[in-house]
C-alpha cells in the first residue's frame, strides 16, 4: 500500500521552500509528528546538517519535526522505524552513491512499499523510478549502479523543460536527450515540469499540479498528460 | 608531442557543421589525406554510418576523406595507424562506454600522446580531460568508469552556459553544478563556451576562439581566461 508524493521540484519560482506543496503535504503527512529526512543529495554541496536545517524550517510551517538520517546510529533502523520519509533534491549521482554506500536503497524501497508515507523532490523523485538515467545532474561522483527503487514502473525527468524557442545554444534539448535514452532503453520516461507532482496510492499514479506532463515511450511520439489523469503504464 | 584541437562544439549557431573551425583545421590537419572518425557518441541516437556520413560531408570541404572506426576489423590497429583522429560529439556516457567496451581508450591516449593529430568536439573533448565528470549529458548508459584520457590535466565543461538572468527555472546553473563537483573532487574544470577551443601543442594548452573561458579551481573564485592565453595549471 504505497503512499507517495513524487515532485518535480521542492520550490517553484517566487514561492518559499515546499510552499506550493503544503496543502497536499498536510493531508499526505496527517498525524505524522516526525519526518525522517535523507539529505544525501547535498544541493550546492551543503552539509547534511545544513540541509536538514532547511527541511526542518520548511516543515515547521505545518508542525512536523524533521530528523536527518545521519543523526541516527543505524540508518536501516531509522528508515524501518520512520513515521514518514522525505528525500530532498540536489545531485542524483551523489544521492544514489550514498544510498548504495550506506546500503539503504533496498530497505528504503521495502519501507515505502509497505506504506510508510514518502515525499521525494527532484533527485528524491528520480530515485523512485526504475533507474536514475534521466536525471539532468552532472556525474560528479561514480555510483556503483544507476538502478534505483522502481516504486513506479517508469523514470522521472524532473524540472522538465520545453525546448527554448529561438535559442542560439547548440546543446541538446531535454527531448533530444530522452530520445537518445530510448535508443538504448525501453523504460518510459515522464517529463515532470516544475509545479507538477505524482500522487502514488498503492499502484495508482495520478498527475497533480498545474501543468501537463510529457510522456515519452520508446519509438512513439511523446504525449502530453493532463493534470488529474492516471499515469497507467 | 601532442597536437590536439579540443572544441566546445562542432557547430555554432547560424553556421554549417565544423565551418568555424575550418581555417584552424586546414593547418592542424595539413597533409592529412584520411581522418579516422570515432562516431560512438551517436548524437540523437543516429547510427555509426549516418554519423560518419555527416563527418565525411563536413571534411570534404577541406579535401579530407573520413573513415569510421567501425569500418575496420581491428579498432586498435585503426587507431594506431591513423593519420589523424576525430571524435565527434553526442552522448558522453555512450562514447565512454564504447571506448571501454572496445578496449580502445588507452591506445587512443597513447596514439594522441605520441603526436597523431586529434580533433575532439563536445563529448569528443570531454574525453580529453581527467574524467567525464563535467559532461552535461544524460546518463543513458552506465559506463564501466568515468575516467577518461587525461591528455590535459583538467576537465572540460563543453557548451558552457552563463546563468540565464531572470530565469524562473529552479534547476541548477552550470556554475552551481561545477561547484558541487568541487565538493568531491579537486580536478580543475574549464567551462568552454560554444565557439571556443583549446590548441594543445605538446603540453602547452592555449585558449582560442572569440570568447573567454571560465576556469573553476576547488575552493577558489572562478576566473575568466582571455582568448589567446595559455591555460597553465
Amino acid at each position: 500500500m504505497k503512499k507517495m508524493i513524487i515532485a518535480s521540484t521542492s520550490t517553484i519560482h517566487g514561492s518559499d521552500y515546499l510552499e506550493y506543496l503544503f496543502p497536499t503535504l498536510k493531508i499526505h503527512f496527517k498525524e505524522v509528528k516526525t519526518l525522517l529526512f535523507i539529505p544525501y543529495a547535498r544541493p550546492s554541496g551543503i552539509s547534511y546538517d545544513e540541509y536538514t536545517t532547511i527541511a526542518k524550517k520548511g516543515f515547521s510551517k505545518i508542525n512536523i519535526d524533521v530528523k536527518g538520517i545521519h543523526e541516527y546510529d543505524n540508518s536501516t533502523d531509522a528508515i524501518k522505524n520512520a513515521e514518514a520519509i522525505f528525500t530532498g533534491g540536489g545531485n542524483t549521482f551523489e544521492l544514489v552513491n550514498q544510498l548504495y554506500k550506506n546500503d539503504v536503497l533496498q530497505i528504503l524501497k521495502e519501507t515505502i512499499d509497505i506504506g510508510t508515507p514518502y515525499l521525494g523532490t527532484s533527485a528524491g523523485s528520480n530515485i523512485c523510478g526504475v533507474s536514475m538515467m534521466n536525471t539532468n545532474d552532472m556525474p560528479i561522483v561514480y555510483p556503483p549502479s544507476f538502478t534505483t527503487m522502481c516504486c513506479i514502473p517508469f523514470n522521472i525527468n524532473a524540472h522538465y523543460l520545453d525546448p527554448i524557442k529561438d535559442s542560439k545554444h547548440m546543446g541538446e534539448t531535454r527531448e533530444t536527450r530522452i530520445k537518445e535514452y530510448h535508443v538504448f532503453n525501453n523504460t518510459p520516461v515522464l517529463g515532470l515540469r516544475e509545479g507538477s507532482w505524482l500522487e502514488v496510492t498503492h499502484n495508482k499514479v495520478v498527475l497533480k499540479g498545474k501543468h501537463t506532463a510529457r510522456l515519452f515511450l520508446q519509438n512513439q511520439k511523446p504525449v502530453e498528460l493532463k493534470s488529474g489523469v492516471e499515469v497507467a503504464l
Side-chain angles (χ1 to χ4, degrees), chain A:
Chain A
M1 183 56 195
K2 276 176 282 195
K3 197 181 169 195
M4 310 171 72
I5 301 283
I6 299 174
S8 174
T9 183
S10 61
T11 313
I12 56 173
H13 184 76
S15 161
D16 281 346
Y17 184 64
L18 295 172
E19 192 180 339
Y20 79 104
L21 282 172
F22 282 148
T24 304
L25 296 179
K26 273 184 197 170
I27 300 162
H28 187 64
F29 289 138
K30 206 183 157 190
E31 290 172 28
V32 170
K33 299 269 176 290
T34 305
L35 190 67
L36 178 70
F37 181 57
I38 301 180
Y40 293 157
R42 299 180 63 181
S44 303
I46 59 171
S47 71
Y48 294 163
D49 277 343
E50 285 170 314
Y51 198 12
T52 304
T53 300
I54 291 169
K56 215 177 170 84
K57 195 178 155 195
F59 272 95
S60 71
K61 294 178 184 168
I62 55 169
N63 302 312
I64 293 175
D65 195 19
V66 167
K67 205 167 164 183
I69 192 168
H70 62 293
E71 299 173 50
Y72 292 85
D73 290 336
N74 187 314
S75 313
T76 302
D77 287 346
I79 290 172
K80 270 192 199 167
N81 301 328
E83 282 179 77
I85 301 170
F86 168 32
T87 307
N91 185 283
T92 308
F93 290 87
E94 174 59 5
L95 169 58
V96 170
N97 193 36
Q98 291 303 329
L99 290 172
Y100 276 103
K101 275 198 174 171
N102 290 284
D103 196 18
V104 291
L105 190 77
Q106 186 57 30
I107 190 67
L108 183 58
K109 177 189 165 47
E110 286 168 17
T111 305
I112 292 168
D113 280 352
I114 58 168
T116 301
Y118 179 84
L119 167 66
T121 60
S122 192
S125 294
N126 284 332
I127 61 169
C128 299
V130 177
S131 79
M132 55 162 284
M133 287 187 169
N134 299 99
T135 177
N136 313 306
D137 296 337
M138 197 172 261
I140 59 174
V141 296
Y142 183 72
S145 167
F146 286 165
T147 301
T148 49
M149 295 195 290
C150 197
C151 296
I152 51 175
F154 54 89
N155 281 355
I156 297 292
N157 179 251
H159 305 277
Y160 183 76
L161 267 186
D162 294 292
I164 297 162
K165 224 186 132 190
D166 302 326
S167 169
K168 291 179 177 166
H169 186 68
M170 304 302 285
E172 294 87 348
T173 65
R174 199 65 62 77
E175 181 154 334
T176 300
R177 294 174 193 276
I178 296 170
K179 280 184 182 167
E180 288 179 358
Y181 170 76
H182 277 144
V183 172
F184 302 98
N185 306 275
N186 61 10
T187 301
V189 180
L190 189 67
L192 211 51
R193 295 179 177 89
E194 294 178 349
S196 288
W197 68 94
L198 300 175
E199 276 187 21
V200 184
T201 313
H202 194 34
N203 288 323
K204 189 175 177 188
V205 183
V206 177
L207 177 64
K208 297 279 180 164
K210 55 183 174 179
H211 306 293
T212 58
R214 197 160 180 84
L215 178 65
F216 299 85
L217 300 173
Q218 194 183 36
N219 301 327
Q220 291 185 40
K221 229 181 125 178
V223 290
E224 289 290 327
L225 302 184
K226 282 186 186 161
S227 182
V229 304
E230 185 178 346
V231 187
L233 295 173

